[in-house]
Amino acid sequence: MNRPQAYISFEVYEDGIDLLGIAKATLPDISYLTSTITGAGMMGNIETPLAGMIDVMTLNLQFLSVTGAASKLLVPKKHHIDLRAVEQYWDTSEVELGFTKQKHVMTVLPKKMSPGTIAPVTAADASGEFNVYYYAAFENGNSLWEIDPFNQIFSVGGVDYWADIRKGLGL
C-alpha cells in the first residue's frame, strides 16, 4: 500500500513549454451547483448537488518575484497552464520510497494580479488569480478528472458522467 508523504517538487508551465518561475499553486475548488427541493411530501428542504454542474473555478498562483515569464499571464487572453508535480510516497509492502507524477492542465483567463511587496531580504510574493475554463488532472498518466463546461464534459476516473445528458440533448 502506498502512503503519500509530501510533494517533492513542482513546476508551472504555459503551453507545456514555457517555465513561468518558482511558484506555489492553490488549485481550484470543484463545487457542485445545488438545487433546493421542497414541497408536499417533504419534511423541510433538501439540497441536492446537480450532476456535473460545476460552480466557478479559480486558480491562484503565488510567485517568489515578478518575472517576465510570469507577467505574461497578465495578458488578457486564454492561457494553457500545466502544473507538474512529483509526490513522494512510502510503499508499505516493499518498504521503500516511491514517486507519483501528477499533472494539472487548465485553460485560464487572468482575473487579478498582485505584484507583491518590495522589502530587503524578502520574496516579493507576487500572485495572480485566474478564472478556470477547463481543468483536467492526471496521476502517472491516468485521468483523474476532466471538467470542460463549454463542451459539457464532466469525467471522473475515465467515466463521462455527462454522456447521457449530452445524448438526451441531441448533442
Side-chain angles (χ1 to χ4, degrees), residues 2-167:
N2 296 339
R3 304 270 185 195
Q5 293 182 322
Y7 285 109
I8 294 293
S9 192
F10 135 87
E11 302 283 352
V12 180
Y13 290 88
E14 182 169 18
D15 297 326
I17 52 172
D18 296 328
L19 181 63
L20 295 180
I22 298 172
K24 177 180 176 181
T26 302
L27 298 171
D29 287 337
I30 302 170
S31 301
Y32 288 100
L33 294 176
T34 62
S35 179
T36 301
I37 300 170
T38 189
M42 302 276 303
M43 188 176 76
N45 297 329
I46 294 176
E47 184 177 62
T48 184
L50 300 172
M53 299 293 289
I54 301 300
D55 206 354
V56 173
M57 294 182 289
T58 302
L59 169 68
N60 290 289
L61 294 174
Q62 186 175 14
F63 293 93
L64 289 179
S65 66
V66 178
T67 64
S71 69
K72 290 178 186 175
L73 292 176
L74 188 56
V75 174
K77 69 172 189 87
K78 70 178 176 182
H79 297 272
H80 299 286
I81 302 296
D82 184 347
L83 307 175
R84 301 174 193 173
V86 175
E87 184 178 39
Q88 178 176 304
Y89 64 84
W90 184 254
D91 182 337
T92 59
S93 61
E94 297 295 324
V95 192
E96 62 186 3
L97 292 176
F99 303 97
T100 300
K101 295 174 278 187
Q102 294 182 359
K103 188 181 212 181
H104 296 264
V105 178
M106 291 171 239
T107 300
V108 303
L109 282 174
K111 181 176 177 181
K112 178 172 106 175
M113 186 70 97
S114 173
T117 58
I118 297 176
V121 196
T122 62
D125 290 331
S127 63
E129 189 173 299
F130 305 89
N131 287 330
V132 177
Y133 294 99
Y134 173 88
Y135 184 16
F138 303 88
E139 184 175 77
N140 292 329
N142 299 313
S143 176
L144 297 175
W145 61 78
E146 180 182 21
I147 301 168
D148 187 348
F150 287 115
N151 292 302
Q152 299 184 21
I153 296 171
F154 183 77
S155 176
V156 179
V159 177
D160 185 353
Y161 290 95
W162 258 64
D164 285 341
I165 296 168
R166 285 192 309 276
K167 185 176 177 184

